[in-house]
Every structure is written in structure tokens, then in C-alpha cells.
Amino acid sequence: MPASSLVIILAMVGYAVYKQSQRHEVVGSSRFRLAIIYGVVGIAIGGYHVPPNGLAWLFLGLSVALSVVVGLARGRYTRIWAEGGSVYAQGTALTIGLFLGMVVVKFALGTVAYFAGISDSGGIGEVLLMIAVMVAFQAELVWRRAQPLGARESSKDVVGVAR
């Protein structure tokens, strides 16, 4: 992996941890913003290739499944509350730990696939795409949990006005 890719992944992981630790308003129309950012950067960086064999497809499937499961767990354990007519969310030590653990497992899966001769085509772009999948599932679950508390669909909605 080139040093530039390592710097990018470290910056993206640092940014994600920072964003998770900050309180933010839950707004439906922007819930997938972070997932889109990760997906676009993952595609722009490249490093994703079609798996060359059945075992590589299995590894990819496991990676996607892990992203979905971790995303749902993070969505379930993200702290959500209503305050002043808005609904807010903030990551917890558990959700941040799940995120960091998933990144480590993604790199471990790639390393195992490489040294076992299963696939040598995985890269940083693939890791970022898997993070995008996780963040998208988390965002959707947080949104669904926030709706009954009165979360706004759009940033143009007026805070505190009954719908």
C-alpha cells in the first residue's frame, strides 16, 4: 500500500472518529452525507477490483456483511435525544470502538487474503467503500430511531413547529 493511501485512510479514520464524538442534529435529508463522502473518496482513490475467484468473493461477502452488522450495531447504540425542538445524536465509546475495530478487521481480512493467495487486489478504496456501507446502515437506523422524537426531514424545516 502506498504511503499516500495510508495517509488518506488515517485522515479519514481520524475525521470519522472526530465526527462521531461530536453532537450533531439528526436531519433526514442529510443522513447519508458521510457515507457518500467515504464512497466517493473510496472510488476516487481506487484500489477496488472485481474479486478474481470464489474465495475472494466469499471474503468480499464477509466484508460487506461485517459492515452491515457493525453499522446496525452502531446505529442501535448511538446516543439520541431531543432538546429544544431538535433531535441530536452522538457516538459513544462503544460506537467509536466498533468503528475502529471494524477498520482493523478489514485490514486483517485483506492481509489474510493476500498472504493466503486468495486475492492481492484489495486496497484502500475497498476499505473506504466498506466503511461507507457501514455508515449508511448506521445513519438509516439513527434516522429511524430519531423520527419518533421529532427529527426534521430537511434542514429547511422550522424547528419546534408541529407537523
Side-chain angles (χ1 to χ4, degrees):
M1 174 183 306
S4 61
S5 293
L6 191 55
V7 168
I8 290 169
I9 191 71
L10 289 174
M12 295 292 290
V13 167
Y15 176 73
V17 169
Y18 169 76
K19 290 297 285 181
Q20 292 173 57
S21 67
Q22 302 299 304
R23 170 183 116 151
H24 65 278
E25 185 178 2
V26 178
V27 178
S29 63
S30 63
R31 69 186 177 272
F32 296 119
R33 183 180 303 154
L34 192 59
I36 291 168
I37 290 169
Y38 273 96
V40 167
V41 172
I43 290 168
I45 288 175
Y48 177 79
H49 305 281
V50 175
N53 56 51
L55 229 69
W57 277 105
L58 177 64
F59 268 66
L60 179 61
L62 289 172
S63 189
V64 171
L66 178 64
S67 292
V68 170
V69 168
V70 171
L72 292 172
R74 292 181 69 228
R76 168 64 184 92
Y77 292 107
T78 295
R79 184 172 164 241
I80 298 173
W81 71 97
E83 179 183 302
S86 296
V87 178
Y88 295 95
Q90 185 173 13
T92 64
L94 175 62
T95 61
I96 292 169
L98 285 169
F99 173 78
L100 293 173
M102 189 193 77
V103 171
V104 168
V105 169
K106 298 284 185 194
F107 276 104
L109 281 173
T111 302
V112 167
Y114 177 78
F115 284 113
I118 296 167
S119 174
D120 64 352
S121 62
I124 196 74
E126 185 176 323
V127 172
L128 292 176
L129 288 171
M130 293 303 135
I131 291 172
V133 169
M134 177 208 55
V135 170
F137 275 87
Q138 176 188 4
E140 181 62 22
L141 188 53
V142 166
W143 167 242
R144 290 179 186 211
R145 290 179 54 217
Q147 283 179 304
L149 299 176
R152 298 185 298 152
E153 172 62 40
S154 167
S155 58
K156 296 176 184 173
D157 293 344
V158 179
V159 176
V161 174
R163 289 176 275 241

